[in-house]
Amino acid sequence: MIVREAGRITPMNSARRQATRQKLYEAAVTLIAEQGFSSTTVDEIAERAGVAKGTVYYNFASKTELFEELLRHGVGLLTRSLREAAEAGVKTSGRHVDALDAMIRAGLDFIARYPAFTQLFVAELWRTNRAWQSTLLMVRQDAVTVVATVLKDAVDAGELSEELDIPLTASALFGMVLVAALDWQAFQPERSIDDVHAALSRLLQGRVASG
């Protein structure tokens, strides 16, 4: 068994701390989505996570830092899922347009799994003067860059027109999946994820790939 050695963080301690942070992320995102950042207290986050209040401050210096790290963590998961989907899509068919379609599905899967986080993320994108604004913009750009890279590869491979505005199209595709998925979750929950994916795929093929 691995134990703490002279103040060092061992693999076992690191895994335990990560598990604790995950519980705090889940508690925070649910509470903040329900009642807003200002109305959510550290005591409530600790209670929802099933830990002592001191545990929150052991892992994060403040509620603001917790929320900032939550944004990094959540969008990081989304970015990683988009990148892995793109790599798998190209490997399967050899076409970058198919990688874009795979990324749409990965985005829908993520949003279906983490609806509260996605709702919170989209809401924060439209707010200003937040302490975490720069972090939010940075992690959003990381995700959009994954889409832009695949678009550029598709243009370089002759699959898409050289006249394509890659930065704007990447932002549009990223936003399309976020907004369409939230609309699906809120107003059309009876539709299956396959149905929603098919609709967005047709939109992709008609508006981007045909170019």
Side-chain angles (χ1 to χ4, degrees), residues 104-150:
I104 289 177
R105 178 58 185 240
L108 292 174
D109 285 336
F110 177 89
I111 294 165
R113 185 176 180 183
Y114 305 108
F117 173 80
T118 306
Q119 180 181 356
L120 191 60
F121 171 59
V122 172
E124 288 300 316
L125 284 174
W126 296 101
R127 299 182 191 277
T128 58
N129 299 321
R130 294 286 208 180
W132 50 80
Q133 190 69 23
S134 60
T135 296
L136 181 66
L137 295 177
M138 181 180 68
V139 295
R140 172 202 169 273
Q141 189 56 46
D142 287 344
V144 172
T145 297
V146 175
V147 183
T149 298
V150 177

Side-chain angles (χ1 to χ4, degrees), residues 46-171:
E47 182 180 0
R48 181 70 65 93
V51 301
K53 182 178 179 179
T55 301
V56 180
Y57 288 115
Y58 176 78
N59 286 273
F60 305 99
S62 64
K63 184 177 68 170
T64 295
E65 182 181 290
L66 167 57
F67 188 68
E68 188 170 357
E69 289 302 314
L70 168 63
L71 291 172
R72 290 181 186 274
H73 176 72
V75 182
L77 289 177
L78 173 58
T79 301
R80 185 159 56 251
S81 68
L82 294 177
R83 184 179 294 111
E84 290 172 353
E87 292 172 352
V90 172
K91 185 176 181 180
T92 298
S93 71
R95 300 178 70 242
H96 299 289
V97 170
D98 291 332
L100 290 171
D101 185 69
M103 292 169 78
I104 289 177
R105 178 58 185 240
L108 292 174
D109 285 336
F110 177 89
I111 294 165
R113 185 176 180 183
Y114 305 108
F117 173 80
T118 306
Q119 180 181 356
L120 191 60
F121 171 59
V122 172
E124 288 300 316
L125 284 174
W126 296 101
R127 299 182 191 277
T128 58
N129 299 321
R130 294 286 208 180
W132 50 80
Q133 190 69 23
S134 60
T135 296
L136 181 66
L137 295 177
M138 181 180 68
V139 295
R140 172 202 169 273
Q141 189 56 46
D142 287 344
V144 172
T145 297
V146 175
V147 183
T149 298
V150 177
L151 285 170
K152 184 179 184 303
D153 290 342
V155 170
D156 292 343
E159 298 175 27
L160 300 177
S161 170
E162 294 182 356
E163 298 179 357
L164 186 72
D165 186 324
I166 292 175
L168 184 59
T169 303
S171 295

Side-chain angles (χ1 to χ4, degrees), residues 1-13 16:
M1 183 175 73
I2 302 174
V3 296
R4 180 178 292 273
E5 299 174 357
R8 293 170 55 194
I9 297 177
T10 65
M12 177 174 288
N13 285 318
R16 185 181 298 118

Side-chain angles (χ1 to χ4, degrees), residues 165-185:
D165 186 324
I166 292 175
L168 184 59
T169 303
S171 295
L173 288 175
F174 182 70
M176 175 188 75
V177 174
L178 287 178
V179 174
L182 288 176
D183 183 271
W184 160 46
Q185 294 279 315

